[in-house]
Amino acid sequence: MERIVYELGGRAPAVVLTNDDRTQFKDALKKVNASKFANDIGITRTHLYSLISSHRMEFLRFRQLEQELGLSLLSYKDLILFLSQF
């Protein structure tokens, strides 16, 4: 399964979220104040949980959440597979 997808027509690359991604994001958010965290990255708490619950998340936002929460959810293989398309 491709983890990073890109649809032509102006859409940004997106990460297809797995159940494991959602679980790890939610577990990491339990360790911080989710409202403050969301505010610090410029979104609302509701939007944050909406992103985590979605099927896809824009790649740059995914990386931002991943880095801010100290996670590493995408593998090197996922990145190479995506970049090899171009």
Side-chain angles (χ1 to χ4, degrees), residues 1-6 16 81-82 85:
M1 172 181 87
E2 284 185 72
R3 291 271 296 161
I4 306 170
V5 295
Y6 178 70
V16 177
L81 181 63
F82 172 69
Q85 298 174 30

Side-chain angles (χ1 to χ4, degrees), residues 26-39:
K26 288 176 183 176
D27 288 347
L29 285 169
K30 289 177 184 174
K31 299 174 186 172
V32 299
N33 179 318
S35 295
K36 182 179 180 331
F37 175 79
N39 189 51

Side-chain angles (χ1 to χ4, degrees), residues 34-51 61:
S35 295
K36 182 179 180 331
F37 175 79
N39 189 51
D40 289 348
I41 63 171
I43 61 176
T44 65
R45 182 178 175 273
T46 302
H47 187 209
L48 174 63
Y49 281 106
S50 175
L51 287 170
R61 179 65 80 182

Side-chain angles (χ1 to χ4, degrees), residues 3-5 12-17 25 47-48 50-66:
R3 291 271 296 161
I4 306 170
V5 295
V15 177
V16 177
L17 297 179
F25 276 132
H47 187 209
L48 174 63
S50 175
L51 287 170
I52 292 169
S53 299
S54 67
H55 175 67
R56 293 181 180 180
M57 185 185 305
E58 189 267 330
F59 178 77
L60 293 178
R61 179 65 80 182
F62 182 90
R63 286 292 300 140
Q64 179 186 31
L65 294 178
E66 203 180 34

Side-chain angles (χ1 to χ4, degrees), residues 1 3 16-28 52 62 66 71-74:
M1 172 181 87
R3 291 271 296 161
V16 177
L17 297 179
T18 65
N19 288 334
D20 185 55
D21 294 337
R22 289 183 193 90
T23 299
Q24 288 194 53
F25 276 132
K26 288 176 183 176
D27 288 347
I52 292 169
F62 182 90
E66 203 180 34
L71 300 172
S72 182
L73 303 175
L74 288 174

